């Protein structure tokens, strides 16, 4: 047992170190970009930056769980402990399993997220919602229980999906950038591709979840929220408004130039 633990520790240390490094690197880059475009702030009357240090402390703590889930999944796959063997890594298996994994994770995230909003479990999710106006630093500002529920996908997915570990790691990287941008509080991505009839979303999607609490529970797509009636009624309208603002800003910049 001790030998297995010692063998696992480098996996865990690597996963935690990379997650924390990406957390700070992505946050610093996005803040620098946002500071040059204050007009893109979604919640203009709120300043989530006031909670920055609280969010950073909580994120560094909760990433211990996220890293453990990812490292556990990778380790189990490498050791051959899974119920199915991963597909050989080829270009087609990488694309296929990445798509399958993203769709599966979005379903897991939606239903797990809704579960965390029930009166029995919300106390474990409340820490994340103290960031009413989310920022790049609030992405992982979760309790340890909350982090496990939302991120344990990376632990169990390898047991039932024939996903190569390289693809699982790429999925986790994409999820990191998607989550950090989604919590950034600044809208740069509103477009027809992020509203009906497209299943894709933009930053406004998750920002509305933090502002209004009862809507927009999914991660990558709006499909589950549309099917289950939990999409914010103002989402598509607000995305259109953001599109117009961006277009007007671009026209003004062109005229000034």
């Amino acid at each position: 047992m001790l030998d297995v633990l010692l063998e696992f520790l480098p996996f865990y240390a690597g996963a935690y170190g990379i997650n924390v490094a990406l957390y700070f690197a992505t946050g610093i880059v996005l803040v620098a970009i946002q500071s040059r475009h204050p007009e893109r702030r979604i919640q203009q009357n709120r300043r989530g930056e006031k909670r920055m240090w609280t969010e950073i402390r909580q994120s560094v703590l909760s990433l211990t769980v996220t890293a453990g889930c990812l490292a556990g999944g990778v380790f189990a796959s490498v050791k051959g402990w899974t119920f199915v063997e991963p597909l050989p890594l080829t270009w087609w298996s990488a694309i296929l399993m990445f798509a399958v994994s993203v769709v599966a994770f979005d379903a897991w995230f939606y239903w797990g997220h809704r579960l965390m909003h029930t009166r029995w479990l919300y106390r474990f999710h409340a820490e994340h919602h103290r960031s009413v106006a989310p920022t790049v630093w609030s992405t992982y500002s979760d309790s340890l229980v909350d982090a496990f529920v939302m991120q344990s996908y990376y632990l169990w997915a390898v047991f039932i999906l024939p996903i190569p570990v390289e693809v699982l790691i790429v999925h986790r990287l994409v999820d990191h950038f998607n989550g950090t941008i989604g919590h950034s509080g600044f809208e740069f991505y509103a477009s027809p591709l992020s509203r009906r009839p497209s299943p894709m979303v933009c930053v406004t999607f998750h920002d509305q979840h933090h502002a209004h609490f009862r809507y927009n529970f999914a991660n990558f797509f709006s499909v589950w929220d549309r099917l289950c009636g939990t999409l914010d009624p103002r989402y598509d309208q607000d995305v259109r408004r953001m599109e117009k603002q961006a277009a007007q800003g671009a026209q003004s910049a062109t005229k000034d130039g």
Side-chain angles (χ1 to χ4, degrees), residues 3 10 19 24 30 36 49 53 92 94 129 191 200 218 238 251:
D3 290 343
N19 271 277
F24 283 106
L30 288 178
R36 302 171 66 178
E49 296 89 342
W53 292 112
W92 70 264
H129 273 287
S191 76
M200 307 304 290
D238 285 352
Q251 289 176 358

Side-chain angles (χ1 to χ4, degrees), residues 91-106:
W91 68 266
W92 70 264
S93 67
I95 294 173
L96 171 65
M97 292 313 302
F98 178 79
V100 168
S101 190
V102 167
V103 170
F105 178 74
D106 195 63

Side-chain angles (χ1 to χ4, degrees), residues 49-127:
E49 296 89 342
K50 294 177 181 179
R51 301 194 72 252
M52 182 180 75
W53 292 112
T54 299
E55 292 171 349
I56 288 175
R57 285 193 297 271
Q58 191 62 36
S59 294
V60 169
L61 177 62
S62 77
L63 279 171
T64 61
V65 174
T66 299
C69 291
L70 177 62
V74 171
F75 187 67
S77 185
V78 169
K79 297 292 287 184
W81 294 343
T82 59
F83 304 134
V84 294
E85 283 190 33
L87 294 173
L89 184 63
T90 64
W91 68 266
W92 70 264
S93 67
I95 294 173
L96 171 65
M97 292 313 302
F98 178 79
V100 168
S101 190
V102 167
V103 170
F105 178 74
D106 195 63
W108 171 264
F109 192 95
Y110 177 83
W111 291 107
H113 197 177
R114 287 198 69 177
L115 184 66
M116 296 308 292
H117 273 258
T118 62
R119 67 175 183 271
W120 302 283
L121 294 177
Y122 186 73
R123 66 183 183 275
F124 299 115
H125 190 53
E127 178 64 37

Side-chain angles (χ1 to χ4, degrees), residues 75-244:
F75 187 67
S77 185
V78 169
K79 297 292 287 184
W81 294 343
T82 59
F83 304 134
V84 294
E85 283 190 33
L87 294 173
L89 184 63
T90 64
W91 68 266
W92 70 264
S93 67
I95 294 173
L96 171 65
M97 292 313 302
F98 178 79
V100 168
S101 190
V102 167
V103 170
F105 178 74
D106 195 63
W108 171 264
F109 192 95
Y110 177 83
W111 291 107
H113 197 177
R114 287 198 69 177
L115 184 66
M116 296 308 292
H117 273 258
T118 62
R119 67 175 183 271
W120 302 283
L121 294 177
Y122 186 73
R123 66 183 183 275
F124 299 115
H125 190 53
E127 178 64 37
H128 190 64
H129 273 287
R130 290 194 174 95
S131 303
V132 178
T135 72
V136 294
W137 309 115
S138 66
T139 313
Y140 304 108
S141 186
D142 310 313
S143 73
L144 299 184
V145 172
D146 194 15
F148 181 77
V149 171
M150 306 312 297
Q151 301 297 326
S152 58
Y153 170 85
Y154 297 102
L155 177 60
W156 64 258
V158 296
F159 285 88
I160 61 174
L161 295 177
I163 182 170
V165 293
E166 296 88 349
V167 177
L168 185 73
I169 292 170
V170 170
H171 176 186
R172 171 67 194 120
L173 289 172
V174 171
D175 183 38
H176 163 75
F177 292 114
N178 177 69
T180 305
I181 292 170
H183 283 85
S184 65
F186 285 71
E187 186 58 88
F188 292 90
Y189 309 97
S191 76
L193 291 176
S194 55
R195 56 176 168 83
R196 187 187 295 273
S198 171
M200 307 304 290
V201 300
C202 56
V203 180
T204 299
F205 181 82
H206 197 67
D207 199 276
Q208 287 180 333
H209 176 73
H210 277 261
H212 306 139
F213 299 95
R214 296 180 296 169
Y215 304 108
N216 303 2
F217 293 94
N219 187 294
F220 284 103
F221 312 112
S222 64
V223 176
W224 283 106
D225 285 289
R226 293 187 190 277
L227 289 175
C228 298
T230 53
L231 184 75
D232 192 307
R234 292 159 291 193
Y235 174 68
D236 289 315
Q237 176 184 335
D238 285 352
V239 173
R240 288 190 184 92
R241 178 173 54 81
M242 290 287 185
E243 288 177 53
K244 290 179 182 178

